[in-house]
Amino acid sequence: MTVTYSSKVANATFFGFHRLLLKWRGSIYKLLYREFIVFAVFYTAISLVYRLLLTGAQKRYFEKLSIYCDRYAEQIPVTFVLGFYVTLVVNRWWNQFVNLPWPDRLMFLISSSVHGRDEHGRLLRRTLMRYVNLTSLLIFRSVSTAVYKRFPTMDHVVEAGFMTADERKLFDHLKSPHLKYWVPFIWFGNLAAKARKEGRIRDSVDLQSLMTEMNKYRSWCSLLFGYDWVGIPLVYTQVVTLAVYTFFFACLIGRQFLDPTKGYAGHDLDLYIPIFTLLQFFFYAGWLKVAEQLINPFGEDDDDFETNWCIDRNLQVSLLAVDEMHMSLPKMKKDIYWDDSAARPPYTLAAADYCIPSFLGSTVEMG
């Protein structure tokens, strides 16, 4: 489930983010602690071998190797390569969220355009809306592991009520080597055209608006399919991963504390814990882990999209809108500002500080 913390950071306060650093679920600690422990263990093992097991000549050779690794590890462009990669992944992640299919605009049109309060009119509206939700379900099944686990076969789709047994037969009878998420679109168009002929949709403009909105919905679904099909080039992901892990492999040797009596430049202190090397690993490897989590938001990580919740919400809300709320209107009454030409809603005592005069321009205060 997506980790939400917006209310915790609604106001910028002194040391206001410290509460977020203590969270475990969805945190960088949970993502990185295994790699961090492995890096620390290997570093400690190499340090103990250098200090306790090597002979004098072997120590001198190790010290030269350490200085060599430290000097040339900095030539690996980790910051540039990793920063550009994470930016690309985050932009791609946000675009996928923006293009999640939401049926709200379609359900508004169906509720207002498909008339008839009898059983057939109700059946028309609910069927049209079911085709819309079936389309998004087929797309989510093809891109989301969580949804596929919930609906592993088309039998589960039928059992859940998104498709009837007769529709399943027609769906299976249509032979195609490609993903058939577009089939409910065709059913939707045919049924909408039939409703227009029957007079349930009373205007061709309404029918056109309905089809236009359905095409937008189809575009969102096809975009998700496209994102799943064409990812960030594998070669770039490999370059970034190799750059990060090669850099820290060199740091295992190059960042060792050497004998200060030998007078090596930068090795005046002999400490046992490489604090800044560990921090560098935490930040760089953590950066890479962020990209690994966001590169496919349809998995089962803590911050991946809640696709199963989207399916439930969309079905419940859309059927409610086109069925029970069809032509359902509250009684019109005069509002409380009927005779007030300067309407101003009241403020509570807690919100009194937000009652400010209107801005009339920066020159108003000039004498």
Side-chain angles (χ1 to χ4, degrees):
M1 183 176 179
T2 304
V3 179
T4 303
Y5 59 91
S6 300
S7 61
K8 301 287 192 303
V9 293
N11 299 315
T13 58
F14 176 71
F15 208 48
F17 275 70
H18 69 282
R19 294 188 301 273
L20 301 182
L21 299 178
L22 303 178
K23 289 184 175 292
W24 173 254
R25 187 170 168 275
S27 68
I28 188 63
Y29 320 121
K30 183 178 179 180
L31 274 179
L32 194 61
Y33 77 93
R34 299 178 185 86
E35 288 85 351
F36 188 82
I37 291 174
V38 169
F39 180 80
V41 168
F42 273 102
Y43 183 92
T44 304
I46 294 173
S47 179
L48 292 175
V49 169
Y50 164 66
R51 296 172 185 273
L52 303 176
L53 300 181
L54 296 184
T55 63
Q58 291 173 337
K59 284 185 177 181
R60 303 294 84 78
Y61 180 80
F62 178 83
E63 289 162 0
K64 293 179 182 179
L65 179 62
S66 177
I67 294 172
Y68 174 82
C69 290
D70 187 36
R71 179 187 307 165
Y72 288 100
E74 298 299 332
Q75 296 185 8
I76 301 176
V78 179
T79 304
F80 172 76
V81 173
L82 187 57
F84 184 77
Y85 181 71
V86 172
T87 301
L88 181 63
V89 169
V90 170
N91 288 334
R92 174 186 170 88
W93 165 78
W94 182 249
N95 286 333
Q96 290 183 77
F97 176 75
V98 170
N99 287 289
L100 286 177
W102 301 100
D104 298 50
R105 295 169 64 172
L106 265 169
M107 72 188 190
F108 298 151
L109 282 174
I110 292 174
S111 181
S112 60
S113 301
V114 183
H115 299 277
R117 304 194 67 174
D118 57 342
E119 185 173 344
H120 183 64
R122 180 187 179 194
L123 179 63
L124 271 176
R125 289 188 297 275
R126 290 180 66 93
T127 304
L128 287 170
M129 206 66 247
R130 185 167 54 79
Y131 290 157
V132 173
N133 288 289
L134 174 60
T135 301
S136 58
L137 173 60
L138 295 178
I139 281 294
F140 282 140
R141 279 188 75 246
S142 68
V143 301
S144 172
T145 57
V147 175
Y148 190 82
K149 287 181 178 180
R150 183 181 180 185
F151 304 100
T153 66
M154 292 303 296
D155 290 332
H156 292 83
V157 176
V158 174
E159 184 180 352
F162 287 90
M163 180 184 286
T164 66
D166 292 336
E167 292 166 353
R168 167 74 189 280
K169 292 179 182 178
L170 292 175
F171 188 85
D172 291 339
H173 182 72
L174 184 65
K175 302 301 179 182
S176 174
H178 309 292
L179 182 66
K180 295 186 287 187
Y181 75 93
W182 45 269
V183 172
F185 286 125
I186 307 300
W187 293 344
F188 181 95
N190 293 340
L191 186 58
K194 181 181 178 182
R196 173 70 182 98
K197 289 183 179 179
E198 294 175 351
R200 298 286 180 167
I201 300 178
R202 297 173 184 173
D203 197 311
S204 296
V205 176
D206 291 337
L207 176 62
Q208 184 176 357
S209 299
L210 203 59
M211 300 305 293
T212 300
E213 199 58 47
M214 186 59 179
N215 278 323
K216 291 180 181 178
Y217 193 85
R218 182 205 58 79
S219 298
W220 292 334
C221 293
S222 60
L223 271 173
L224 292 186
F225 182 73
Y227 275 117
D228 186 61
W229 177 31
V230 181
I232 296 176
L234 178 61
V235 62
Y236 192 25
T237 302
Q238 290 175 337
V239 166
V240 174
T241 305
L242 287 174
V244 172
Y245 285 104
T246 302
F247 175 78
F248 286 108
F249 179 78
C251 287
L252 287 174
I253 300 175
R255 298 293 176 83
Q256 292 290 333
F257 291 103
L258 306 180
D259 188 352
T261 62
K262 300 303 178 182
Y264 298 119
H267 291 275
D268 302 325
L269 293 176
D270 185 15
L271 303 177
Y272 291 93
I273 301 176
I275 298 175
F276 290 99
T277 300
L278 292 177
L279 286 176
Q280 197 173 28
F281 179 86
F282 188 82
F283 297 141
Y284 282 179
W287 214 0
L288 180 63
K289 279 294 180 181
V290 169
E292 289 178 3
Q293 178 168 317
L294 298 184
I295 196 169
N296 182 9
F298 294 103
E300 298 173 69
D301 295 322
D302 286 341
D303 268 317
D304 283 342
F305 300 154
E306 293 294 333
T307 46
N308 276 315
W309 175 87
C310 290
I311 291 172
D312 294 340
R313 180 263 175 197
N314 291 345
L315 181 65
Q316 294 167 3
V317 171
S318 59
L319 291 182
L320 182 66
V322 301
D323 189 0
E324 294 185 29
M325 294 193 66
H326 173 66
M327 302 305 290
S328 175
L329 291 171
K331 183 180 179 180
M332 290 191 298
K333 297 177 64 177
K334 295 180 180 180
D335 59 82
I336 62 175
Y337 306 109
W338 184 265
D339 297 317
D340 188 357
S341 60
R344 189 174 193 179
Y347 284 80
T348 62
L349 193 60
D353 291 340
Y354 301 106
C355 182
I356 58 175
S358 299
F359 179 72
L360 301 178
S362 59
T363 61
V364 171
E365 301 298 329
M366 292 179 62

